[in-house]
Amino acid sequence: MLSESKQNDAAWLVAKGKSIEIKTAPYTKPGPNQILIQSHAVAINPIDRIIQDLGNMAFSWIKFPTIVGSDVAGSVLSVGSNVQRFKPGDRVVGFGLGFTQGKSDPTQAAFQEYVLLREDLCAPMPAIMSYEQACVIPLGLSTAASGLYQKKYLNLALPSINIKNTGKTILIWGGSTSVGANAIQLARASGYEVFTTCSPRNYDFVKRLGASQAFDYNSATVAADIIRAFEDKDCAGALSMGSGSAEKCCDILGSLKKANKFVAMASFPGQKDGAPNGPLEMASMLTGMLTANSKIWWKSRTKGLKTNFIFGSDLEENEVGPAVWKSFLGDALAQGTFIPSPEPLVVPTRGLKGIQEGFDMQKKGVSAKKVVVIF
């Protein structure tokens, strides 16, 4: 039974454009397939602060006040009646579903002291792994897995501890991003060779994760260089992250002789980092996104390509979520074959008071790191 006197505090978004307020939140009993955890570390993603800045201008279903956050690691307090994998006291990392496509449930959002998680979207943590290391995983992993494995995207072979080489190569544009770092490791665990792009200062980082070749995304010849690298290769498709990435991937796949001509997009075409400041910047952003989408549509039509935008929570509705979180990740972490990435950049202020500080740090920009708050 849960203690009626237990108080749960949360970092509430009370209105669009307003700073976080720390207030009480429900302390909720887990459902049959859920676990209740005490948060020990959370990570901040760009989408979290975009919701703060834009609210329902970006996502029509958002209603304030609300709690956000997807990335959390903590200790299990209680489990639902159907849960067999976990028990109170277990250390876990999990994917909070407080904000998913078309709906929101604050009880499952990460930025609070006690969080409800679906047990099949959690994994046990090795004893040597810290909470701040583990909490960088969830949204990046889930978004990458959605794009790589779901049938409506690239439909690749699922990851396994026992890797079977497919003989195919995938292009991951933006390998040093959170999604990219997880996608490289998942693709390798599925038996694919990985070509990726990043800044030259991150070449060693992406190659440690498993990329065989890395290309400078700012190079004027990057598309031509990648096309040459794919000569005599069987391309499994592309996963794109970052401004202009989808267009580049379309150009590359459209030029290859042997390829799955599909681009799974983890960034909206024409999307720029940060929220617009005022109506003029909003108009400019929307114009840029419409222009980029028109270019993508035309390239897809003329080059025989398909594209689709990934939403990170898509895998909650199909076999991909349990296949990655339940059947793969725990063992891969225990064996050291999957590395939590990118590295945590810890906010100086601990606890819920550090969430707004973390939002501000994330907005200034980070490279090959993820902003983390320790409780």
Side-chain angles (χ1 to χ4, degrees):
M1 297 292 291
L2 295 181
S3 169
E4 295 296 328
S5 62
K6 184 80 74 173
Q7 178 173 311
N8 182 28
D9 289 330
W12 285 92
L13 296 179
V14 295
K16 181 179 69 177
K18 299 295 184 181
S19 294
I20 283 170
E21 295 184 14
I22 299 171
K23 298 181 178 181
T24 58
Y27 181 77
T28 308
K29 180 179 179 180
N33 299 306
Q34 292 179 318
I35 63 175
L36 177 69
I37 72 163
Q38 181 175 3
S39 303
H40 292 302
V42 298
I44 293 168
N45 294 284
I47 194 170
D48 300 321
R49 60 174 175 76
I50 288 172
I51 294 170
Q52 181 182 49
D53 289 343
L54 296 182
N56 58 12
M57 292 176 67
F59 305 101
S60 60
W61 61 90
I62 290 292
K63 294 181 179 178
F64 293 105
T66 193
I67 309 168
V68 296
S70 304
D71 295 356
V72 61
S75 54
V76 177
L77 292 180
S78 60
V79 303
S81 57
N82 294 337
V83 176
Q84 302 294 321
R85 297 170 63 217
F86 301 111
K87 64 184 183 305
D90 285 349
R91 303 167 74 247
V92 300
V93 56
F95 183 31
L97 294 175
F99 171 77
T100 59
Q101 192 169 13
K103 58 186 178 181
S104 60
D105 177 4
T107 66
Q108 298 187 66
F111 298 159
Q112 55 191 318
E113 293 176 335
Y114 303 100
V115 184
L116 287 177
L117 298 172
R118 257 182 44 181
E119 69 90 18
D120 61 349
L121 297 178
C122 296
M125 291 170 50
I128 62 171
M129 186 174 292
S130 68
Y131 290 115
E132 58 263 38
Q133 288 175 310
C135 76
V136 303
I137 295 173
L139 184 58
L141 176 82
S142 299
T143 304
S146 294
L148 293 175
Y149 302 124
Q150 288 191 91
K151 292 179 175 62
K152 64 181 179 179
Y153 299 113
L154 294 174
N155 195 24
L156 302 188
L158 289 168
S160 173
I161 296 299
N162 302 308
I163 300 173
K164 296 180 180 179
N165 186 22
T166 65
K168 297 182 179 181
T169 305
I170 184 172
L171 173 61
I172 296 174
W173 192 287
S176 65
T177 65
S178 177
V179 175
N182 283 276
I184 291 170
Q185 297 186 84
L186 286 173
R188 288 297 300 125
S190 297
Y192 296 85
E193 181 184 20
V194 175
F195 291 170
T196 193
T197 67
C198 60
S199 169
R201 69 177 179 270
N202 291 321
Y203 282 176
D204 289 343
F205 169 64
V206 298
K207 289 181 178 180
R208 283 198 305 271
L209 298 179
S212 64
Q213 294 195 49
F215 301 85
D216 181 1
Y217 66 89
N218 279 321
S219 169
T221 63
V222 61
D225 294 341
I226 293 173
I227 291 169
R228 278 195 300 273
F230 266 109
E231 188 175 354
D232 299 325
K233 299 278 188 181
D234 187 350
C235 178
L239 185 69
S240 67
M241 281 76 63
S243 180
S245 60
E247 293 177 58
K248 290 285 190 182
C249 288
C250 285
D251 289 337
I252 292 165
L253 294 191
S255 300
L256 300 181
K257 295 177 181 178
K258 194 173 184 180
N260 171 23
K261 297 193 175 185
F262 194 108
V263 180
M265 302 181 295
S267 301
F268 286 112
Q271 176 183 337
K272 297 193 187 268
D273 196 33
N277 184 17
L280 290 178
E281 284 192 13
M282 172 62 77
S284 176
M285 182 187 76
L286 292 175
T287 300
M289 292 178 71
L290 287 171
T291 300
N293 271 291
S294 297
K295 290 179 180 179
I296 294 292
W297 177 85
W298 178 249
K299 289 182 180 183
S300 298
R301 186 179 179 88
T302 57
K303 297 177 182 287
L305 299 164
K306 292 183 179 180
T307 63
N308 202 354
F309 178 74
I310 310 162
F311 208 89
S313 61
D314 281 352
L315 51 55
E316 70 160 317
E317 301 173 347
N318 52 59
E319 75 284 355
V320 173
V324 172
W325 275 98
K326 192 171 183 178
S327 301
F328 169 73
L329 183 61
D331 289 339
L333 290 174
Q335 294 184 22
T337 57
F338 194 95
I339 303 168
S341 297
E343 292 183 1
L345 177 63
V346 177
V347 175
T349 304
R350 297 175 71 103
L352 293 171
K353 292 182 178 179
I355 300 294
Q356 184 62 58
E357 186 177 339
F359 277 27
D360 297 339
M361 286 174 61
Q362 207 282 333
K363 191 170 185 177
K364 291 177 181 177
V366 293
S367 178
K369 290 185 182 295
K370 199 167 195 179
V371 176
V372 165
V373 178
I374 300 173
F375 284 32

